[in-house]
């Protein structure tokens, strides 16, 4: 792993410790079943019934979404490069008696570390910005999709990533960051986490990459997948400084903003059967 990846892994190990106790992840309600399924309405609709299906969750953090799919009947495997995330997910699965396999691996190394193919390959919310190489990502994704199986991703829209998100007011769209892929990562000192902005994170650094929507879609097509749909949404699933929180807990442009922006997306892509 290079320095940027090692620093990101250190950050995710630290964030995992913070996140397990955060109101954002609300582990208590996941444990006691009040919020047994921690998945978004649109992804449940768009992915459909997973009962009896094998599901690979890439970048699974400490496993709440992975275990949600297991509670819905999927046979799940979660992967993440954070030892802390994988240890927490494994312990949680055992504690809650939910069958699940968790694998610690850098996404790009996964084809050498995990066998098999899956009916569903899934990844969601805050994943692509940690990845340097979107073509390598799509190759890994396609490698693990069974013929006739599908890949699903839901993520912040690359257009939403070009605006400054710190020290701006609601509705202030200050164009600041690249839209297309760039080889060198953007580097930021970390102040707290998206789940707990006040958490102590001194000395931690984040390295991030951008990828345009066209690059993401084209990489998946080039890797052999067929796009079933690409849906764009007017909200972000977590706090963003230039947006305001709506009553449904999602973050949107302030009421009265002239014009519109895509802020989140979901995409489903199928692997064709050989010869199809
Ligand atoms: C925001 S989380 C996404 C998880 C999920 N949306 C959630 O909220 O639980 C991003 C995850 O990507 C993982 N990650 C970042 N870079 C990675 C890499 N190169 N290989 C594998 N996992 C990686 C981090 O450890 C983190 O758990």
């Amino acid at each position: 792993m290079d320095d940027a990846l090692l620093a990101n892994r250190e950050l995710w190990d630290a964030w995992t410790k913070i996140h397990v106790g955060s109101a954002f992840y609300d582990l208590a309600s996941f444990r006691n079943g009040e919020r047994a399924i921690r998945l978004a309405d649109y992804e449940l609709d768009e992915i459909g019934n997973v009962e009896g299906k094998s599901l690979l969750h890439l970048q699974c953090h400490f496993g709440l979404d992975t275990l949600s799919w297991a509670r819905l009947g999927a046979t799940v495997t979660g992967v993440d490069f954070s030892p802390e995330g994988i240890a927490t997910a494994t312990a949680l699965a055992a504690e809650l008696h939910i069958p699940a396999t968790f694998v610690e691996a850098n996404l790009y190394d996964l084809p050498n570390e995990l066998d098999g193919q899956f009916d569903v390959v899934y990844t969601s919310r805050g994943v692509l910005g940690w990845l340097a190489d979107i073509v390598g990502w799509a190759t890994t994704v396609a490698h693990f999709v069974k013929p006739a199986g599908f890949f699903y991703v839901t993520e912040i829209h690359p257009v939403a990533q070009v605006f400054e998100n710190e020290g701006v007011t609601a509705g202030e769209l200050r164009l600041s960051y690249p839209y297309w892929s760039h080889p060198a990562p953007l580097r930021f000192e970390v102040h707290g986490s998206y789940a707990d902005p006040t958490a102590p994170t001194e000395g931690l650094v984040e390295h991030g990459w951008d990828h345009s929507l066209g690059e993401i879609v084209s990489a998946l097509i080039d890797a052999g997948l067929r796009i079933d749909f690409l849906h764009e949404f007017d909200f972000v699933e977590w706090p963003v400084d230039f947006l305001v929180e709506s009553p449904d807990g999602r973050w949107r442009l302030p009421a009265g903003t002239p014009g519109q922006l895509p802020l989140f997306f979901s995409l489903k892509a199928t692997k064709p059967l050989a010869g199809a």
Side-chain angles (χ1 to χ4, degrees):
M1 276 192 203
D2 64 19
D3 288 351
L5 222 58
L6 287 170
N8 279 351
R9 194 173 64 167
E10 188 186 344
L11 171 62
W12 277 104
D13 280 343
W15 271 355
T16 302
K17 290 182 192 154
I18 293 165
H19 290 178
V20 291
S22 68
F24 183 95
Y25 281 98
D26 190 11
L27 192 46
S29 72
F30 187 78
R31 275 195 166 105
N32 67 23
E34 257 173 62
R35 195 175 170 208
I37 307 299
R38 207 190 149 275
L39 299 163
D41 47 358
Y42 55 88
E43 63 185 335
L44 290 166
D45 287 349
E46 292 174 343
I47 290 180
N49 186 3
V50 293
E51 197 150 7
K53 291 191 173 163
S54 56
L55 183 148
L56 174 66
H57 183 182
L58 300 174
Q59 296 177 254
C60 68
H61 197 17
F62 64 100
L64 292 193
D65 295 349
T66 328
L67 296 175
S68 298
W69 289 117
R71 278 176 164 165
L72 290 170
T75 302
V76 298
T77 303
V79 176
D80 202 281
F81 77 162
S82 157
E84 191 66 34
I86 290 301
T88 306
T90 305
L92 200 58
E95 176 198 324
L96 299 176
H97 307 290
I98 302 175
T101 304
F102 287 100
V103 178
E104 182 192 315
N106 178 8
L107 179 131
Y108 297 107
D109 300 335
L110 197 58
N112 299 323
E113 315 234 350
L114 179 68
D115 289 331
Q117 290 190 310
F118 297 80
D119 298 314
V120 182
V121 176
Y122 164 84
T123 195
S124 66
R125 289 180 284 279
V127 284
L128 302 184
W130 302 100
L131 303 177
D133 170 14
I134 205 68
V135 171
W137 164 79
T139 306
T140 301
V141 163
H143 172 91
F144 285 106
V145 183
K146 267 187 195 170
F150 67 85
F151 169 61
Y152 180 91
V153 53
T154 178
E155 178 58 298
I156 192 165
H157 199 293
V159 164
Q161 297 282 63
V162 301
F163 301 108
E164 179 56 66
N165 180 38
E166 277 192 12
V168 292
T169 55
E172 184 183 348
L173 299 174
R174 195 190 298 165
L175 187 58
S176 303
Y177 299 113
Y179 178 67
W180 288 279
S181 286
H182 43 90
L186 302 184
R187 185 182 181 281
F188 302 96
E189 280 174 22
V190 172
H191 308 289
S193 112
Y194 57 90
D196 181 356
T198 62
T201 51
E202 223 180 320
L204 292 170
V205 175
E206 166 181 343
H207 295 79
W209 292 267
D210 298 281
H211 311 289
S212 76
L213 194 60
E215 289 167 339
I216 295 165
V217 170
S218 297
L220 292 169
I221 293 169
D222 290 346
L225 300 180
R226 285 191 188 155
I227 309 299
D228 297 310
F229 60 72
L230 168 60
H231 295 152
E232 295 169 294
F233 303 125
D234 70 347
F235 57 78
V236 175
E237 291 279 20
W238 55 81
V240 173
D241 280 8
F242 62 82
L243 304 177
V244 289
E245 190 171 10
S246 305
D248 64 1
R250 290 175 172 151
W251 291 71
R252 293 182 169 83
L253 287 167
T257 302
Q260 299 177 321
L261 279 178
L263 297 173
F264 224 74
F265 74 94
S266 64
L267 177 153
K268 184 181 171 206
T270 300
K271 182 181 271 188
L273 287 167

